Amino acid sequence: MDIRSWARGDVFSTAEARAAGIDPGLLRRMVARRELHPLDRGWYAVRPPVDDRDHHLLRTEALRRQFAGRAVPSHHSALALLGSALLRPDLATVHLTRLGDRLSRRRPGLALHQAVPGLPIGPTVPLAEAIVQSGMANSPLDALVAADDALHRGLLQPHDLTRATARFATHESIGPVRQILTEADARIESPGESLLGHALRRLGYRLVPQFTVTVDGTAYRADFGIVGTRVLAEFDGEVKYADRRALFAEKRREDAIRGRGWGFARFVWAELHRLDLIDRRVKEAIRLTRCT
């Protein structure tokens, strides 16, 4: 029998295997031959995980079915299932939220959270609530990255985030999450932009995301325009200019914009937590534009 033909979502349990007449000894031999891949006690995947996120998704599917009717995926586990941008979640731990009681417990690889009063019941915790939960469990920046992504893709509106934070109003860790979600903006297009925008706002700069500069009839977009200056702030991802033609086009774009008296302050991933560096680079760009 081909287990893959009836394993739902590439996942099955020993109970399902037993019902299909599969001997436990066969399962052990298939694991030893790496034809099956253990996910949790009594649960297996019929294919190897592609990466850590995929492994988390497979384990989430297994635990979702194990707790079917009693709990649903939440926090960053729900965000992963919903295809949201993730910043730095603990992918070794699956998060579920109970549907009917106020008990919570933890064991290695699983965090089972108490029920949230009034929470709509669905396949997962609603997206806005999962964003807030992720921010409380991981960091407020995790919530901002996921919120910007959801707003940009049209999956949420700002009032959804307001409703979700109100639902967790009594949680002691909600304050920083509520505050950072006031920055969430549908114009932000990547996690790197979310982090750069937050850093610049912390430094006191006012920003216009996806700022447009028109040169000789051609409109060019920058990640941020810094209000009151002629400086454009941009996040450069690792693969942004992997294509030589893209790199050449970007250089022509930047030369054209600089020729109209604008300056650039560019940042990469490793610099996004360096407020001192970001501030110095922006101030230097401002100084240079005033000298031209």
Side-chain angles (χ1 to χ4, degrees), residues 122-135:
T124 72
V125 164
L127 176 56
E129 280 76 3
I131 289 171
V132 174
Q133 289 177 318
S134 179

Side-chain angles (χ1 to χ4, degrees), residues 25 82 154 162 169 220 235 259 267 291:
L82 295 168
T162 302
Y220 298 97
F235 165 70
F267 305 93
C291 293

Side-chain angles (χ1 to χ4, degrees), residues 12 64 71 77 99 118 125 159 221 283:
F12 72 95
R64 180 191 69 80
S77 298
L99 298 177
V125 164
H159 64 80
R221 276 196 318 167
K283 286 177 176 175

